[in-house]
Amino acid sequence: MPNTKSSSSFHPALAVSNIKNHVTVELGMDNDKYPLWVALFTNHTKSNRVLHHIIKPKSSGPKSPVTDYEKDSWKFLDATVLQWIYATVTNDLLENIVEDEPTAMTCWNRIRDIFLDNQHSRAITLEQEFSHTAMANFPSVLAYCQRLKSLADQLKNVGSPVTDTRLVLQLVSGLTDAYHGVGTLIRQSNYLPPFYRARSMLTLEEAGFAKIDATTSSSSALYAKSSDDGNSSSVSASK
């Protein structure tokens, strides 16, 4: 007969062969991906029934292990979650979180403290950068929008959330002169569009500019070729 206890107690977390297929960002000391990393990681732990290994349940969660078998199983699962954390951070961050006999929760809390320490100071710095972010410093509309959204996410993470309305207004205020028309359209709408729609309007405008530039370049090239052909004909005729 098969071992009923072992066959019935197989945990879904143990079936995860590569955590990077699920948590697709790598968290480092010097990047701004903490909110995204947290969202992906917590969602993954929820789907595999191990969220309580990193976040203490507010209500009654899984019962505490009692028997030696349950304690061993808990330690094994905890080590698995801890390994997920280690595998999704950079070496520089890893050096700051590894400790003797850690648990997944202590490691999780240490990462949280690293990124959320001195919240007021971080909020002031992020607020200044958010308010002075301008499109002229970015190669494309998408890069500009992504930076604003990233700063807004970081501000939310340090307890200073940015409303969608303010995000759109900052987006418009930082536009270059070339986008003045669509910026005015967004700003003077009866109902200010949400950020994702304003971003789409700007990317469509950018695509229109690119099409005009391509047409102009093509016309210039055609004109130059015609001029060269004309000059060549004139030279031939003079001979």
Side-chain angles (χ1 to χ4, degrees), residues 56-85:
K56 187 175 296 186
K58 293 181 179 179
S59 57
S60 58
K63 66 178 183 178
S64 299
V66 177
T67 65
D68 289 341
Y69 175 81
E70 290 174 340
K71 290 178 181 178
D72 286 342
S73 296
W74 187 94
K75 288 179 180 179
F76 188 74
L77 279 176
D78 198 71
T80 298
V81 177
L82 183 61
Q83 191 59 42
W84 290 351
I85 295 176

PDB file of all heavy atoms in Angstrom, residues 56-85:
ATOM      1  N   LYS A  56       2.291  37.331   8.476  1.00  0.00           N
ATOM      2  CA  LYS A  56       1.504  36.746   9.560  1.00  0.00           C
ATOM      3  C   LYS A  56       0.022  37.017   9.307  1.00  0.00           C
ATOM      4  O   LYS A  56      -0.376  38.163   9.102  1.00  0.00           O
ATOM      5  CB  LYS A  56       1.913  37.338  10.910  1.00  0.00           C
ATOM      6  CG  LYS A  56       1.264  36.679  12.109  1.00  0.00           C
ATOM      7  CD  LYS A  56       1.817  37.238  13.408  1.00  0.00           C
ATOM      8  CE  LYS A  56       3.294  36.923  13.555  1.00  0.00           C
ATOM      9  NZ  LYS A  56       3.817  37.346  14.877  1.00  0.00           N
ATOM     10  N   PRO A  57      -0.828  35.993   9.320  1.00  0.00           N
ATOM     11  CA  PRO A  57      -2.255  36.185   9.047  1.00  0.00           C
ATOM     12  C   PRO A  57      -2.913  37.081  10.091  1.00  0.00           C
ATOM     13  O   PRO A  57      -2.601  36.998  11.283  1.00  0.00           O
ATOM     14  CB  PRO A  57      -2.824  34.758   9.114  1.00  0.00           C
ATOM     15  CG  PRO A  57      -1.652  33.864   8.951  1.00  0.00           C
ATOM     16  CD  PRO A  57      -0.485  34.587   9.547  1.00  0.00           C
ATOM     17  N   LYS A  58      -3.822  37.976   9.633  1.00  0.00           N
ATOM     18  CA  LYS A  58      -4.544  38.838  10.568  1.00  0.00           C
ATOM     19  C   LYS A  58      -5.595  38.033  11.327  1.00  0.00           C
ATOM     20  O   LYS A  58      -5.876  38.282  12.482  1.00  0.00           O
ATOM     21  CB  LYS A  58      -5.207  39.984   9.805  1.00  0.00           C
ATOM     22  CG  LYS A  58      -4.206  40.964   9.197  1.00  0.00           C
ATOM     23  CD  LYS A  58      -4.913  42.100   8.480  1.00  0.00           C
ATOM     24  CE  LYS A  58      -3.910  43.085   7.896  1.00  0.00           C
ATOM     25  NZ  LYS A  58      -4.563  44.205   7.172  1.00  0.00           N
ATOM     26  N   SER A  59      -6.199  37.080  10.619  1.00  0.00           N
ATOM     27  CA  SER A  59      -7.192  36.210  11.256  1.00  0.00           C
ATOM     28  C   SER A  59      -6.562  34.841  11.478  1.00  0.00           C
ATOM     29  O   SER A  59      -5.356  34.657  11.304  1.00  0.00           O
ATOM     30  CB  SER A  59      -8.435  36.098  10.367  1.00  0.00           C
ATOM     31  OG  SER A  59      -8.065  35.618   9.087  1.00  0.00           O
ATOM     32  N   SER A  60      -7.363  33.921  11.852  1.00  0.00           N
ATOM     33  CA  SER A  60      -6.842  32.580  12.112  1.00  0.00           C
ATOM     34  C   SER A  60      -6.348  31.943  10.825  1.00  0.00           C
ATOM     35  O   SER A  60      -7.110  31.741   9.888  1.00  0.00           O
ATOM     36  CB  SER A  60      -7.933  31.704  12.735  1.00  0.00           C
ATOM     37  OG  SER A  60      -9.055  31.649  11.880  1.00  0.00           O
ATOM     38  N   GLY A  61      -5.061  31.674  10.755  1.00  0.00           N
ATOM     39  CA  GLY A  61      -4.482  31.048   9.581  1.00  0.00           C
ATOM     40  C   GLY A  61      -4.305  29.562   9.802  1.00  0.00           C
ATOM     41  O   GLY A  61      -4.983  28.968  10.644  1.00  0.00           O
ATOM     42  N   PRO A  62      -3.388  28.971   9.069  1.00  0.00           N
ATOM     43  CA  PRO A  62      -3.129  27.534   9.257  1.00  0.00           C
ATOM     44  C   PRO A  62      -2.690  27.257  10.690  1.00  0.00           C
ATOM     45  O   PRO A  62      -1.992  28.065  11.300  1.00  0.00           O
ATOM     46  CB  PRO A  62      -1.985  27.258   8.263  1.00  0.00           C
ATOM     47  CG  PRO A  62      -2.079  28.367   7.260  1.00  0.00           C
ATOM     48  CD  PRO A  62      -2.572  29.561   8.009  1.00  0.00           C
ATOM     49  N   LYS A  63      -3.097  26.139  11.215  1.00  0.00           N
ATOM     50  CA  LYS A  63      -2.748  25.811  12.596  1.00  0.00           C
ATOM     51  C   LYS A  63      -1.252  25.585  12.721  1.00  0.00           C
ATOM     52  O   LYS A  63      -0.570  25.171  11.780  1.00  0.00           O
ATOM     53  CB  LYS A  63      -3.511  24.563  13.047  1.00  0.00           C
ATOM     54  CG  LYS A  63      -3.125  23.291  12.305  1.00  0.00           C
ATOM     55  CD  LYS A  63      -3.881  22.092  12.849  1.00  0.00           C
ATOM     56  CE  LYS A  63      -3.435  20.808  12.155  1.00  0.00           C
ATOM     57  NZ  LYS A  63      -4.110  19.622  12.697  1.00  0.00           N
ATOM     58  N   SER A  64      -0.723  25.904  13.884  1.00  0.00           N
ATOM     59  CA  SER A  64       0.710  25.740  14.128  1.00  0.00           C
ATOM     60  C   SER A  64       1.068  24.259  14.132  1.00  0.00           C
ATOM     61  O   SER A  64       0.286  23.419  14.596  1.00  0.00           O
ATOM     62  CB  SER A  64       1.093  26.362  15.472  1.00  0.00           C
ATOM     63  OG  SER A  64       0.810  27.746  15.478  1.00  0.00           O
ATOM     64  N   PRO A  65       2.252  23.918  13.606  1.00  0.00           N
ATOM     65  CA  PRO A  65       2.658  22.503  13.608  1.00  0.00           C
ATOM     66  C   PRO A  65       2.839  21.983  15.028  1.00  0.00           C
ATOM     67  O   PRO A  65       3.352  22.690  15.902  1.00  0.00           O
ATOM     68  CB  PRO A  65       3.998  22.522  12.844  1.00  0.00           C
ATOM     69  CG  PRO A  65       4.491  23.932  12.972  1.00  0.00           C
ATOM     70  CD  PRO A  65       3.267  24.798  13.007  1.00  0.00           C
ATOM     71  N   VAL A  66       2.398  20.776  15.244  1.00  0.00           N
ATOM     72  CA  VAL A  66       2.452  20.178  16.579  1.00  0.00           C
ATOM     73  C   VAL A  66       3.357  18.957  16.593  1.00  0.00           C
ATOM     74  O   VAL A  66       4.300  18.871  17.394  1.00  0.00           O
ATOM     75  CB  VAL A  66       1.034  19.790  17.062  1.00  0.00           C
ATOM     76  CG1 VAL A  66       1.122  19.098  18.423  1.00  0.00           C
ATOM     77  CG2 VAL A  66       0.136  21.012  17.120  1.00  0.00           C
ATOM     78  N   THR A  67       3.090  18.023  15.707  1.00  0.00           N
ATOM     79  CA  THR A  67       3.872  16.791  15.693  1.00  0.00           C
ATOM     80  C   THR A  67       5.232  17.034  15.043  1.00  0.00           C
ATOM     81  O   THR A  67       5.451  18.046  14.361  1.00  0.00           O
ATOM     82  CB  THR A  67       3.133  15.691  14.909  1.00  0.00           C
ATOM     83  OG1 THR A  67       3.038  16.099  13.516  1.00  0.00           O
ATOM     84  CG2 THR A  67       1.719  15.497  15.450  1.00  0.00           C
ATOM     85  N   ASP A  68       6.139  16.107  15.272  1.00  0.00           N
ATOM     86  CA  ASP A  68       7.466  16.214  14.657  1.00  0.00           C
ATOM     87  C   ASP A  68       7.351  16.226  13.131  1.00  0.00           C
ATOM     88  O   ASP A  68       8.083  16.963  12.444  1.00  0.00           O
ATOM     89  CB  ASP A  68       8.358  15.051  15.098  1.00  0.00           C
ATOM     90  CG  ASP A  68       8.762  15.178  16.558  1.00  0.00           C
ATOM     91  OD1 ASP A  68       8.660  16.303  17.107  1.00  0.00           O
ATOM     92  OD2 ASP A  68       9.176  14.159  17.149  1.00  0.00           O
ATOM     93  N   TYR A  69       6.454  15.433  12.600  1.00  0.00           N
ATOM     94  CA  TYR A  69       6.262  15.379  11.147  1.00  0.00           C
ATOM     95  C   TYR A  69       5.782  16.734  10.629  1.00  0.00           C
ATOM     96  O   TYR A  69       6.282  17.237   9.619  1.00  0.00           O
ATOM     97  CB  TYR A  69       5.248  14.287  10.789  1.00  0.00           C
ATOM     98  CG  TYR A  69       4.902  14.257   9.320  1.00  0.00           C
ATOM     99  CD1 TYR A  69       5.754  13.632   8.410  1.00  0.00           C
ATOM    100  CD2 TYR A  69       3.730  14.864   8.842  1.00  0.00           C
ATOM    101  CE1 TYR A  69       5.455  13.612   7.055  1.00  0.00           C
ATOM    102  CE2 TYR A  69       3.429  14.856   7.493  1.00  0.00           C
ATOM    103  CZ  TYR A  69       4.293  14.232   6.595  1.00  0.00           C
ATOM    104  OH  TYR A  69       4.001  14.220   5.269  1.00  0.00           O
ATOM    105  N   GLU A  70       4.818  17.359  11.324  1.00  0.00           N
ATOM    106  CA  GLU A  70       4.300  18.658  10.903  1.00  0.00           C
ATOM    107  C   GLU A  70       5.372  19.745  11.001  1.00  0.00           C
ATOM    108  O   GLU A  70       5.469  20.626  10.134  1.00  0.00           O
ATOM    109  CB  GLU A  70       3.086  19.031  11.751  1.00  0.00           C
ATOM    110  CG  GLU A  70       1.857  18.188  11.473  1.00  0.00           C
ATOM    111  CD  GLU A  70       0.715  18.497  12.445  1.00  0.00           C
ATOM    112  OE1 GLU A  70       0.991  19.063  13.533  1.00  0.00           O
ATOM    113  OE2 GLU A  70      -0.440  18.162  12.118  1.00  0.00           O
ATOM    114  N   LYS A  71       6.190  19.661  12.041  1.00  0.00           N
ATOM    115  CA  LYS A  71       7.265  20.648  12.206  1.00  0.00           C
ATOM    116  C   LYS A  71       8.300  20.519  11.099  1.00  0.00           C
ATOM    117  O   LYS A  71       8.768  21.520  10.551  1.00  0.00           O
ATOM    118  CB  LYS A  71       7.920  20.472  13.576  1.00  0.00           C
ATOM    119  CG  LYS A  71       7.033  20.879  14.746  1.00  0.00           C
ATOM    120  CD  LYS A  71       7.724  20.627  16.083  1.00  0.00           C
ATOM    121  CE  LYS A  71       6.806  21.028  17.243  1.00  0.00           C
ATOM    122  NZ  LYS A  71       7.441  20.758  18.566  1.00  0.00           N
ATOM    123  N   ASP A  72       8.645  19.283  10.755  1.00  0.00           N
ATOM    124  CA  ASP A  72       9.599  19.058   9.675  1.00  0.00           C
ATOM    125  C   ASP A  72       9.034  19.551   8.340  1.00  0.00           C
ATOM    126  O   ASP A  72       9.752  20.144   7.532  1.00  0.00           O
ATOM    127  CB  ASP A  72       9.944  17.571   9.572  1.00  0.00           C
ATOM    128  CG  ASP A  72      10.859  17.102  10.698  1.00  0.00           C
ATOM    129  OD1 ASP A  72      11.478  17.975  11.342  1.00  0.00           O
ATOM    130  OD2 ASP A  72      10.933  15.885  10.936  1.00  0.00           O
ATOM    131  N   SER A  73       7.756  19.297   8.126  1.00  0.00           N
ATOM    132  CA  SER A  73       7.114  19.741   6.887  1.00  0.00           C
ATOM    133  C   SER A  73       7.089  21.264   6.803  1.00  0.00           C
ATOM    134  O   SER A  73       7.341  21.846   5.744  1.00  0.00           O
ATOM    135  CB  SER A  73       5.682  19.189   6.811  1.00  0.00           C
ATOM    136  OG  SER A  73       5.677  17.789   6.751  1.00  0.00           O
ATOM    137  N   TRP A  74       6.793  21.896   7.941  1.00  0.00           N
ATOM    138  CA  TRP A  74       6.767  23.361   7.964  1.00  0.00           C
ATOM    139  C   TRP A  74       8.154  23.922   7.657  1.00  0.00           C
ATOM    140  O   TRP A  74       8.297  24.870   6.874  1.00  0.00           O
ATOM    141  CB  TRP A  74       6.304  23.853   9.335  1.00  0.00           C
ATOM    142  CG  TRP A  74       6.085  25.340   9.390  1.00  0.00           C
ATOM    143  CD1 TRP A  74       4.921  26.008   9.189  1.00  0.00           C
ATOM    144  CD2 TRP A  74       7.090  26.339   9.652  1.00  0.00           C
ATOM    145  NE1 TRP A  74       5.122  27.364   9.286  1.00  0.00           N
ATOM    146  CE2 TRP A  74       6.440  27.597   9.571  1.00  0.00           C
ATOM    147  CE3 TRP A  74       8.452  26.291   9.934  1.00  0.00           C
ATOM    148  CZ2 TRP A  74       7.123  28.795   9.771  1.00  0.00           C
ATOM    149  CZ3 TRP A  74       9.137  27.484  10.121  1.00  0.00           C
ATOM    150  CH2 TRP A  74       8.474  28.718  10.045  1.00  0.00           C
ATOM    151  N   LYS A  75       9.182  23.354   8.258  1.00  0.00           N
ATOM    152  CA  LYS A  75      10.551  23.830   8.017  1.00  0.00           C
ATOM    153  C   LYS A  75      10.948  23.638   6.558  1.00  0.00           C
ATOM    154  O   LYS A  75      11.613  24.491   5.963  1.00  0.00           O
ATOM    155  CB  LYS A  75      11.529  23.081   8.927  1.00  0.00           C
ATOM    156  CG  LYS A  75      11.436  23.467  10.392  1.00  0.00           C
ATOM    157  CD  LYS A  75      12.429  22.661  11.231  1.00  0.00           C
ATOM    158  CE  LYS A  75      12.342  23.031  12.704  1.00  0.00           C
ATOM    159  NZ  LYS A  75      13.287  22.223  13.530  1.00  0.00           N
ATOM    160  N   PHE A  76      10.523  22.534   5.989  1.00  0.00           N
ATOM    161  CA  PHE A  76      10.857  22.261   4.589  1.00  0.00           C
ATOM    162  C   PHE A  76      10.183  23.274   3.672  1.00  0.00           C
ATOM    163  O   PHE A  76      10.803  23.813   2.751  1.00  0.00           O
ATOM    164  CB  PHE A  76      10.423  20.838   4.231  1.00  0.00           C
ATOM    165  CG  PHE A  76      10.882  20.400   2.874  1.00  0.00           C
ATOM    166  CD1 PHE A  76      12.211  20.072   2.648  1.00  0.00           C
ATOM    167  CD2 PHE A  76       9.994  20.327   1.816  1.00  0.00           C
ATOM    168  CE1 PHE A  76      12.654  19.670   1.397  1.00  0.00           C
ATOM    169  CE2 PHE A  76      10.426  19.931   0.557  1.00  0.00           C
ATOM    170  CZ  PHE A  76      11.751  19.597   0.348  1.00  0.00           C
ATOM    171  N   LEU A  77       8.906  23.558   3.927  1.00  0.00           N
ATOM    172  CA  LEU A  77       8.186  24.555   3.129  1.00  0.00           C
ATOM    173  C   LEU A  77       8.776  25.943   3.322  1.00  0.00           C
ATOM    174  O   LEU A  77       8.915  26.721   2.376  1.00  0.00           O
ATOM    175  CB  LEU A  77       6.694  24.564   3.508  1.00  0.00           C
ATOM    176  CG  LEU A  77       5.822  23.486   2.889  1.00  0.00           C
ATOM    177  CD1 LEU A  77       4.399  23.582   3.432  1.00  0.00           C
ATOM    178  CD2 LEU A  77       5.815  23.610   1.373  1.00  0.00           C
ATOM    179  N   ASP A  78       9.132  26.261   4.556  1.00  0.00           N
ATOM    180  CA  ASP A  78       9.702  27.573   4.829  1.00  0.00           C
ATOM    181  C   ASP A  78      11.032  27.752   4.100  1.00  0.00           C
ATOM    182  O   ASP A  78      11.322  28.820   3.549  1.00  0.00           O
ATOM    183  CB  ASP A  78       9.907  27.761   6.331  1.00  0.00           C
ATOM    184  CG  ASP A  78      10.074  29.228   6.702  1.00  0.00           C
ATOM    185  OD1 ASP A  78       9.071  29.976   6.636  1.00  0.00           O
ATOM    186  OD2 ASP A  78      11.204  29.629   7.039  1.00  0.00           O
ATOM    187  N   ALA A  79      11.832  26.709   4.086  1.00  0.00           N
ATOM    188  CA  ALA A  79      13.101  26.756   3.365  1.00  0.00           C
ATOM    189  C   ALA A  79      12.869  26.925   1.865  1.00  0.00           C
ATOM    190  O   ALA A  79      13.648  27.593   1.170  1.00  0.00           O
ATOM    191  CB  ALA A  79      13.905  25.490   3.639  1.00  0.00           C
ATOM    192  N   THR A  80      11.791  26.341   1.374  1.00  0.00           N
ATOM    193  CA  THR A  80      11.450  26.481  -0.041  1.00  0.00           C
ATOM    194  C   THR A  80      11.110  27.929  -0.380  1.00  0.00           C
ATOM    195  O   THR A  80      11.597  28.484  -1.371  1.00  0.00           O
ATOM    196  CB  THR A  80      10.257  25.574  -0.397  1.00  0.00           C
ATOM    197  OG1 THR A  80      10.613  24.207  -0.168  1.00  0.00           O
ATOM    198  CG2 THR A  80       9.839  25.752  -1.846  1.00  0.00           C
ATOM    199  N   VAL A  81      10.281  28.550   0.460  1.00  0.00           N
ATOM    200  CA  VAL A  81       9.909  29.952   0.240  1.00  0.00           C
ATOM    201  C   VAL A  81      11.131  30.854   0.379  1.00  0.00           C
ATOM    202  O   VAL A  81      11.314  31.808  -0.390  1.00  0.00           O
ATOM    203  CB  VAL A  81       8.808  30.390   1.226  1.00  0.00           C
ATOM    204  CG1 VAL A  81       8.466  31.868   1.040  1.00  0.00           C
ATOM    205  CG2 VAL A  81       7.551  29.535   1.031  1.00  0.00           C
ATOM    206  N   LEU A  82      11.974  30.553   1.338  1.00  0.00           N
ATOM    207  CA  LEU A  82      13.207  31.327   1.531  1.00  0.00           C
ATOM    208  C   LEU A  82      14.089  31.232   0.290  1.00  0.00           C
ATOM    209  O   LEU A  82      14.677  32.231  -0.153  1.00  0.00           O
ATOM    210  CB  LEU A  82      13.957  30.808   2.753  1.00  0.00           C
ATOM    211  CG  LEU A  82      15.238  31.554   3.141  1.00  0.00           C
ATOM    212  CD1 LEU A  82      14.938  33.006   3.488  1.00  0.00           C
ATOM    213  CD2 LEU A  82      15.918  30.856   4.318  1.00  0.00           C
ATOM    214  N   GLN A  83      14.146  30.052  -0.288  1.00  0.00           N
ATOM    215  CA  GLN A  83      14.949  29.877  -1.497  1.00  0.00           C
ATOM    216  C   GLN A  83      14.353  30.669  -2.659  1.00  0.00           C
ATOM    217  O   GLN A  83      15.089  31.179  -3.510  1.00  0.00           O
ATOM    218  CB  GLN A  83      15.036  28.386  -1.855  1.00  0.00           C
ATOM    219  CG  GLN A  83      16.064  28.065  -2.929  1.00  0.00           C
ATOM    220  CD  GLN A  83      17.464  28.490  -2.536  1.00  0.00           C
ATOM    221  OE1 GLN A  83      17.884  28.298  -1.398  1.00  0.00           O
ATOM    222  NE2 GLN A  83      18.194  29.083  -3.464  1.00  0.00           N
ATOM    223  N   TRP A  84      13.024  30.777  -2.704  1.00  0.00           N
ATOM    224  CA  TRP A  84      12.386  31.607  -3.731  1.00  0.00           C
ATOM    225  C   TRP A  84      12.860  33.060  -3.607  1.00  0.00           C
ATOM    226  O   TRP A  84      13.139  33.715  -4.611  1.00  0.00           O
ATOM    227  CB  TRP A  84      10.867  31.563  -3.580  1.00  0.00           C
ATOM    228  CG  TRP A  84      10.218  30.270  -3.935  1.00  0.00           C
ATOM    229  CD1 TRP A  84      10.793  29.185  -4.542  1.00  0.00           C
ATOM    230  CD2 TRP A  84       8.852  29.918  -3.696  1.00  0.00           C
ATOM    231  NE1 TRP A  84       9.866  28.183  -4.699  1.00  0.00           N
ATOM    232  CE2 TRP A  84       8.669  28.604  -4.191  1.00  0.00           C
ATOM    233  CE3 TRP A  84       7.769  30.567  -3.117  1.00  0.00           C
ATOM    234  CZ2 TRP A  84       7.439  27.947  -4.123  1.00  0.00           C
ATOM    235  CZ3 TRP A  84       6.543  29.925  -3.049  1.00  0.00           C
ATOM    236  CH2 TRP A  84       6.383  28.620  -3.537  1.00  0.00           C
ATOM    237  N   ILE A  85      12.914  33.534  -2.367  1.00  0.00           N
ATOM    238  CA  ILE A  85      13.372  34.913  -2.138  1.00  0.00           C
ATOM    239  C   ILE A  85      14.805  35.082  -2.626  1.00  0.00           C
ATOM    240  O   ILE A  85      15.125  36.017  -3.375  1.00  0.00           O
ATOM    241  CB  ILE A  85      13.258  35.287  -0.644  1.00  0.00           C
ATOM    242  CG1 ILE A  85      11.789  35.291  -0.188  1.00  0.00           C
ATOM    243  CG2 ILE A  85      13.887  36.663  -0.396  1.00  0.00           C
ATOM    244  CD1 ILE A  85      11.599  35.550   1.298  1.00  0.00           C
TER     245      ILE A  85
END
